[in-house]
Amino acid sequence: MRARNLKVIFSLAFLLPATLYAEEWSAPQYITELNSAKRDVTPWISADGKTVYIASDRIPGGTCSRCGMEIFVSHLVDGLWTAPERLPEPLNDPLSWDGHPSLTLDGRYMYFHSNRPSPFNPGTRQADDTDIWVSENINGVWQQPVVLGANINTTYWDYAPQISVDGQTLIYTSNRPGGYGNFDLYISHKVDGVWQKSENMGPVINNSIAQVAPNVSYTGKYMFLSDLSNVYRSIKVDGVWQTPIKLPPPVNQCWSGTESSIFNDCTQTLYFYNMCSPLGSWDIATTQWLDFPDPNPCDNFIIPEGQWRVRVTLLEASADLSNDIYLDQPISQLLIKHSLKNVGKVVSTPFLSAEELIFHIHVDANNWGLGEYDHYSNSEFARVQRTDPLRYLVGFEDLPADLADWDYNDTVLLVELVGVEVNIWESQNYLGENQVVQSTPADQDTALVLLLTSSAGVEATAVIPGAGLSESTYGVLTEGDPALYTDLIQPEAPLAPTGVFLKLELENGQTQLLDGQAGIIKIAYADEDDDGIVDGTSVAETGLVLARYDEESGAWMALPSEVDPVADNVTCAMNQFFPIFALGTWTTPDEEPPPVEPPVEPPANPPPADASGPKLHSTDSGSGPGCLSVAAASDPAGWAAVVGLLGLLGSGRLIKRRPR
């Protein structure tokens, strides 16, 4: 088969023009469903154009000039906006001015201004008492807002926040002393979860009049702002914002865009408000950038400016050709090896920002042989479908053109953009896998403990010493579907599984523990009639062993295992390597003894055996320590910590089940 080295390129970077374009904008269209006889202002639109948040004083309340201004949400359904719905307390405070909502791309955090009491204002709820606040959406519920600290807020007027799509940059308006005009724009960046001291954006952006209500577009290329009378636009060139230019009529035709305008690159639509409405009040309108200079950035794979990871879930794999999946650019990384064995596997990349993404699949044309390989990646062999602003389906046709059926479902990836503050396991599990998730700091005194109850009621446990982790991370223990592992159990293989498979994965990408560290895998089995035979099999419980699949050699490796016939479980040391484990027996134990992983050195002073406890039948060769001693560190204190953790497993206090 002729080798191919064709790549699919999803363009995430945009060529910036050397000069600003002469612009043409359409006549404003007022959105009837969003507007009322009252003031309807400061729209924020989602990247897919289907959700809008506004501020409105349509519900009376309060005594100050803008008290009763609250935040509402509307959704686009069948081409029409639903009636704006007021967000409940505690996000809205009916006695305060709550306005100018701005959300991260994933909709998880909303930043807004409010004159509710805070450490930075006297609590009189005057219009100029506003501070910047943030609320987190957890399971569809907006939480109690939190006022940002002194690196953002002052005792002056701080308002109109605009959060970047990745949640790491905040631009807002303030009339604090030391600026260039009545109101200036300030910027702050989040570093290690902490907002840094705000900086004035300088004289190119700010002037002697006023610059307010910043809004950076979805791609991070354009920023729209106002001088309290007209809307202006700046463009970022080589990372630097250029001098703002005033938009032409018909956008600026009266007291227009006083405090808000947001541009959606995906639809080339500017959302703003002005007083030109036939209703005679402040109302929300849209206008189209008719000669938009860039190709539609949302037609293809796009990563907005900011810090992101790419989370990849393998949904489908070719039944005929086994393949590996790579990310070539902007980093070189093998994402998923032997994809047919790893349907359901979830991986993530390191952080990246606004660059090209190049994926390819590496196909073994001889079905796991050592023959020719093909690379399929160019647009001829892949199709990208954007399902929402953060999520894409990438389907590959992994057969040569003369054999392809062009349904693009041979290998299918779900690709998601994940922000710096989101762990990759938090989002919906698309395959319905039975998983448990837990996080821990990477230090010598903690352990990552995962307890999983399988669909058949079988309990499995993994204990990973913190000293074996390279960094703080999430661990995921998954009940493997036996149907997905049938190709791992070859007729000539000595392992006969009982049907229990586990995948152990770390979010930081580790596939083995640090040198000198070992963990514990413990799997229960069923022997309800106490006949010494695993229920549903002919396997004697004393012959059970836990094994690890070695992807490099394609062989199963026995782990030092101890069977507890009273508790009906098998405990073993995973040594250093993972991720796939199976519980089974060796079919030819006498003629073909299983390969055993070399054990880690036992503790210098192992604790004495408990004479009153059950006798453990070990499948270890006799030269190595038992499983618990392997999992212990190199001192008795480490042993005690591991035993103590195992004692807590039944309490559930160390368990965090994956959200459904």
Side-chain angles (χ1 to χ4, degrees), residues 329-408:
Q329 188 178 313
I331 56 176
S332 178
Q333 181 180 9
L334 171 62
L335 295 177
I336 299 173
K337 187 174 180 63
H338 297 168
S339 66
L340 191 60
K341 301 177 182 179
N342 286 291
V343 172
K345 184 176 179 64
V346 180
V347 295
S348 73
T349 69
F351 289 110
L352 47 87
S353 175
E355 299 184 62
E356 289 182 336
L357 271 184
I358 302 177
F359 287 101
H360 82 257
I361 58 174
H362 186 187
V363 179
D364 178 354
N366 289 340
N367 292 317
W368 305 100
L370 299 177
E372 300 178 64
Y373 290 87
D374 284 355
H375 301 262
Y376 296 104
S377 307
N378 73 327
S379 57
E380 182 182 2
F381 284 87
R383 179 176 62 190
V384 179
Q385 295 175 292
R386 184 169 181 264
T387 59
D388 67 39
L390 286 170
R391 193 168 289 122
Y392 300 81
L393 287 175
V394 183
F396 286 98
E397 186 65 47
D398 59 5
L399 287 173
D402 56 341
L403 299 176
D405 54 14
W406 305 111
D407 55 7
Y408 298 102

Side-chain angles (χ1 to χ4, degrees), residues 549-557:
Y549 183 75
D550 182 71
E551 289 192 347
E552 294 300 322
S553 65
W556 287 92
M557 305 292 291

Side-chain angles (χ1 to χ4, degrees), residues 132 241 322 408 563 572:
I132 310 299
W241 290 111
S322 304
Y408 298 102
V563 179
C572 80

